[in-house]
Amino acid sequence: MRIDVISIFPDYLSALDISLIGRARQDGLLDVRVHDLREYTHDRHRTVDDTPYGGGAGMVMKPEPWAEALEAVAADSPVERPTLLVPTPSGTVFSQPLARELAEHEHLVFACGRYEGIDERVFPWAAERFDVRLVSLGDYVLNGGEVAVLAMVEAVGRLIPGVVGNPESLVEESHEDGLLEYPVYTKPSSWRGHDVPPVLLSGDHGKIAVWRRAQQLERTRQRRPDLLAEEPSA
Ligand SMILES: OB(O)c1ccc2cc[nH]c2c1
């Protein structure tokens, strides 16, 4: 998979050089390219923003630099229509099913907005060449798209075969089957007056599986009843 990220703070994305994603890049499983939006400006001050039409606080990101940056990325894309993901508080909520879908795509492009956002005209213009998705991490507001991109790249990248050492560890995770994950424990079996649930020490894998599923349902009922509105997958 190829991933391009466009930002006015490219150093924010340096976290993609380390750990799981960094190793996947070194192993050739991921081709991640980070671009400085200011490289696509032509004035002395490398201007990427201007005042909003209609008034209001803050600044809006100018369309021209975005168009030039996206054209440059599209020009050497391995696919006809790359997927353009734009983090925004006004987007559809990112989810594990969306991460699984995006992990199948060959070329993802992430546009990191700042200020009050990107000029709205960029999105219909980009839709001529990209599959444009406006995506939110949740009902809260960050100062820009970079943190959201780090989260999405990690959520998608770890699903690519070979990125996570043991693919088994991807199976029983929160949201993989529509439920929250069960609690986990390790040695010692008794710690500061807190004991590991005896069933986990029983060696009875059938009972352990039943207990774990019950824990998933209980946790989901308590913490995320909204997830139970949908039928959990088998
Ligand atoms: O909360 B967010 O995901 C987000 C994304 C992009 C911009 C641009 C300016 N504020 C933003 C917030």
Side-chain angles (χ1 to χ4, degrees):
M1 176 186 288
R2 164 140 166 214
I3 294 176
D4 287 83
V5 185
I6 305 167
S7 166
I8 60 172
F9 296 121
D11 291 349
Y12 222 117
L13 288 304
S14 56
L16 299 179
D17 299 333
I18 60 177
S19 188
L20 202 78
I21 301 299
R23 197 162 48 247
R25 294 172 73 177
Q26 288 165 2
D27 295 346
L29 293 171
L30 280 177
D31 171 9
V32 179
R33 307 177 191 191
V34 179
H35 311 270
D36 183 348
L37 182 66
R38 293 190 193 278
E39 295 298 315
Y40 298 92
T41 61
H42 305 288
D43 62 303
R44 189 155 60 93
H45 299 294
R46 308 181 84 200
T47 307
V48 292
D49 63 314
D50 205 334
T51 52
Y53 277 119
M59 303 290 273
V60 174
M61 299 192 93
K62 295 166 58 67
E64 301 97 323
W66 279 109
E68 291 194 25
L70 290 169
E71 281 170 339
V73 166
D76 72 341
S77 172
V79 299
E80 191 61 32
R81 259 178 90 74
T83 302
L84 174 61
L85 294 149
V86 186
T88 169
S90 59
T92 53
V93 178
F94 188 71
S95 64
Q96 193 64 17
L98 178 54
R100 279 200 294 270
E101 180 216 322
L102 295 173
E104 302 294 322
H105 292 216
E106 197 175 333
H107 188 193
L108 301 180
V109 182
F110 291 89
C112 299
R114 279 274 157 178
Y115 308 105
E116 299 308 311
I118 300 171
D119 186 301
E120 190 68 18
R121 292 169 292 181
V122 170
F123 309 131
W125 170 84
E128 294 163 20
R129 180 66 200 281
F130 297 85
D131 171 16
V132 181
R133 311 276 187 96
L134 304 188
V135 185
S136 163
L137 278 196
D139 295 335
Y140 52 85
V141 182
L142 303 169
N143 286 330
E146 288 80 5
V147 167
V149 168
L150 288 173
M152 289 192 273
V153 169
E154 179 156 319
V156 172
R158 64 196 294 274
L159 298 176
I160 292 170
V163 173
V164 169
N166 174 11
E168 273 300 300
S169 64
L170 295 176
V171 174
E172 293 182 324
E173 291 188 313
S174 282
H175 307 289
E176 267 311 310
D177 57 2
L179 296 175
L180 301 185
E181 59 199 358
Y182 51 76
V184 291
Y185 304 83
T186 188
K187 303 180 189 62
S189 61
S190 187
W191 173 75
R192 297 193 179 190
H194 298 271
D195 296 342
V196 170
V199 66
L200 297 180
L201 309 177
S202 69
D204 184 330
H205 297 294
K207 280 187 179 174
I208 291 170
V210 167
W211 179 85
R212 283 176 166 171
R213 182 71 176 181
Q215 289 292 311
Q216 281 188 275
L217 285 165
E218 184 52 33
R219 273 185 161 195
T220 307
R221 198 173 292 119
Q222 284 176 349
R223 300 178 192 174
R224 289 294 305 276
D226 56 298
L227 294 179
L228 290 177
E230 299 135 32
E231 195 49 41
S233 53

